Amino acid sequence: MRRSQVDAERFQPEQLLRSHVAALASYTPIHPFEVLSRELNLPVERIVKLDANENPYGPSPAVVEALAEYSYYHIYPDPQQTDLREALSGYIGVDAAQILPTHGADEMLDYLCRIVLDPGDAAINCPPTFGMYSFDAELNGATVIDVPRDDDFGVDVDAVEATADGGRAKLLFLTSPNNPSGNWLPDEQLRRLLALPLLVVLDEAYVEFADHSSRAVWVTGHENLVVVRTFSKAAGIAGLRLGYAACPAWLMPHLWKFKQPYNVNVAATVAGLASLNHIDDMAYVVGKIRAERVRLFALLHTVNYLRPWPSEANFVLCAVRGRNAAQLKADLAAQGVLVRHYNKPGLENCIRVSVGRPDQTDRLMEALRSLE
Ligand SMILES: Cc1ncc(COP(=O)(O)O)c(C=O)c1O
C-alpha cells in the first residue's frame, strides 16, 4: 500500500512546537547506576554513590514487606489519594484537605508553575539552589529573575523585596535546607518574604535532616505559602517517586482540577503509607544519617584541599582549593566514588558529597587521601 507523504516543502515539523519550548536548552540526563558501573568497569556493589542525595539505607523492611504483600497492582490508584492524605495529615499536622500527593516533589513544582505562570510572567529564584525551579518556570514560558544568595548562601531578602516590587513576578522559590548549600532559611526572613504579594513555594525536601522544624503548618496561617515535601530523602524511596505539598485552602480546588488523576502510582502509595505507619524506622535512619553527617563534615575538614560548609541536610558542599574540582570528581569516579561537581556563579570549583553509610564515608576518605 502506498503511504501518503506529507508535503515536505510545506510541512516543517519543528514549526509545530511552541516557540519557548523550541528555544529551551536541552536537559542533561544523569547516568543510571548500571550504565556507570559499565562505564567505570566496576561492579555496582563497588560504587559509592554520593552524588544525588539519595538515602543509602533505602526504605525500611516494613515498607519492602508491604510492597511485597500488596495484591492489587492491577487496579488503578485512588485518584483522591484518601488514605495517603489522611496519613500525611497525621505526619505533618496539616488538614488532609490541604495536602496533595504527587509523582515526586518535582511534579508538584511543575504543577505550581503551570497553574500560576502565564508566558511572560516571572518567577524569582535564589541561586545557587535546586535546578528544577528555573527549569520548570522556563518550560512554562516564564522569565526567571535570579536574586543571587550572599556569600554564606543566605537569601538576599532586601533584593527579593525590591525585585518583587517590580510587579512581574508571581512565584518565589525558597528552599530550606537549601540544596546544594545545606543552610536553613530563618523564620524572620521567611516571615518577611511571606509579606510579599507572591506565591511562596518553600521546598522542604531535606527538612527531616535539619536541626529546625518544618514550616508546613504555616500554610494554615499564610494564604500565599505552599510547602513542598518528599519521600525521596528521609523515607528512602526516590525511585518510587512520591512527593506532596501542603497548600493554602484556596489553591486546592485548582490543583484538583489540574492534576492527572493517577499521578501517584499504587506502589508509591503503598510504600508511602507503610513509611508513615512505621515512622520510628524512618526516624532511626534519619538519626544515623545526621550522626554520619557530623563525622563526614569533621573528616572533610581534615582534607587539605577541601573547605566544607556546615549543612542541615544529607549532603555537604565543599569548596575545592588549589585544584580543579571537575578533575577531582573524575579522579574520585575512577575509584568508584561518585560526587556532584559544580562550577557556576556562587559555586565556583565546588563538589557536593551526599551523606552515606559509615563504610561509604570511609571509601570516600580513602579516595580523597589518595589524591592529596
Ligand atoms: C531541593 C529539592 N527539591 C526537590 C527535589 C526532588 O524531589 P523528588 O525526588 O520528590 O522529586 C530534590 C531532589 O534532589 C531537591 O534537592
Side-chain angles (χ1 to χ4, degrees):
M1 197 173 76
R2 232 182 112 236
R3 291 251 228 88
S4 66
Q5 282 288 337
V6 66
D7 177 347
E9 296 230 325
R10 284 192 304 136
F11 179 68
Q12 285 164 5
E14 301 236 326
Q15 283 183 356
L16 296 178
L17 291 170
R18 297 174 72 190
S19 51
H20 75 273
V21 174
L24 279 177
S26 301
Y27 176 72
T28 317
I30 57 154
H31 290 287
F33 217 23
E34 316 74 61
V35 173
L36 282 168
S37 149
R38 283 197 291 275
E39 273 177 14
L40 298 170
N41 201 17
L42 281 172
V44 170
E45 324 73 75
R46 283 295 294 161
I47 295 181
V48 175
K49 191 171 183 313
L50 304 177
D51 60 348
N53 304 339
E54 287 136 340
N55 181 329
Y57 298 99
S60 83
V63 172
V64 177
E65 204 178 310
L67 284 165
E69 281 178 359
Y70 189 76
S71 28
Y72 301 103
Y73 289 113
H74 57 297
I75 306 290
Y76 283 110
D78 169 11
Q80 294 190 312
Q81 305 149 326
T82 319
D83 293 346
L84 187 55
R85 288 192 299 118
E86 275 304 327
L88 281 168
S89 171
Y91 178 45
I92 62 170
V94 173
D95 194 325
Q98 286 179 248
I99 298 176
L100 193 85
T102 45
H103 184 80
D106 280 350
E107 185 184 45
M108 177 52 78
L109 296 171
D110 179 42
Y111 280 1
L112 292 168
C113 286
R114 285 203 271 157
I115 269 190
V116 171
L117 299 172
D118 274 323
D121 286 340
I124 301 178
N125 191 34
C126 302
T129 191
F130 184 49
M132 291 306 283
Y133 314 136
S134 51
F135 174 86
D136 287 329
E138 281 168 3
L139 199 58
N140 288 289
T143 306
V144 176
I145 305 177
D146 281 336
V147 178
R149 288 167 182 263
D150 63 26
D151 290 347
D152 294 320
F153 301 106
V155 172
D156 185 342
V157 178
D158 291 338
V160 173
E161 285 174 342
T163 307
D165 273 349
R168 249 180 358 126
K170 286 178 156 182
L171 268 183
L172 166 63
F173 289 108
L174 300 170
T175 324
S176 188
N178 186 42
N179 177 11
S181 50
N183 58 312
W184 186 255
L185 174 73
D187 280 2
E188 328 71 84
Q189 293 193 355
L190 179 57
R191 279 209 187 86
R192 267 178 71 188
L193 294 164
L194 282 167
L196 296 169
L198 302 167
L199 187 64
V200 175
V201 178
L202 177 65
D203 185 340
E204 289 194 339
Y206 300 99
V207 76
E208 283 94 343
F209 303 107
D211 305 327
H212 296 82
S213 306
S214 164
R215 266 78 64 105
V217 287
W218 288 30
V219 298
T220 24
H222 294 275
E223 292 278 274
N224 61 337
L225 174 65
V226 175
V227 177
V228 177
R229 305 271 299 259
T230 181
F231 281 76
S232 293
K233 312 296 174 179
I237 53 169
L240 286 176
R241 315 300 301 126
L242 182 59
Y244 56 99
C247 305
W250 64 267
L251 188 61
M252 290 304 293
H254 303 290
L255 283 165
W256 283 118
K257 281 186 290 189
F258 190 84
K259 96 169 180 72
Q260 296 282 334
Y262 305 130
N263 61 328
V264 174
N265 70 58
V266 169
T269 308
V270 169
L273 279 169
S275 307
L276 297 173
N277 286 336
H278 296 86
I279 209 73
D280 291 350
D281 292 355
M282 189 161 96
Y284 174 67
V285 163
V286 166
K288 286 207 284 191
I289 293 172
R290 281 170 49 91
E292 190 59 15
R293 176 177 75 205
V294 173
R295 188 172 88 98
L296 173 69
F297 182 78
L299 286 167
L300 290 171
H301 242 299
T302 66
V303 179
N304 58 20
Y305 56 87
L306 294 180
R307 197 200 125 206
W309 270 279
S311 165
E312 295 204 27
N314 66 339
F315 49 82
V316 178
L317 181 70
C318 302
V320 179
R321 293 284 158 83
R323 66 200 302 158
N324 183 283
Q327 187 58 48
L328 174 63
K329 177 201 154 82
D331 292 344
L332 292 172
Q335 299 190 42
V337 178
L338 308 179
V339 300
R340 179 86 193 257
H341 157 253
Y342 299 95
N343 197 19
K344 55 184 177 187
L347 285 179
E348 287 85 4
N349 211 41
C350 289
I351 58 166
R352 188 198 63 196
V353 184
S354 307
V355 180
R357 298 184 308 265
D359 61 295
Q360 294 180 309
T361 303
D362 294 345
R363 280 277 311 282
L364 166 76
M365 291 310 298
E366 218 176 278
L368 288 169
R369 296 246 182 272
S370 75
L371 299 168
E372 254 173 353

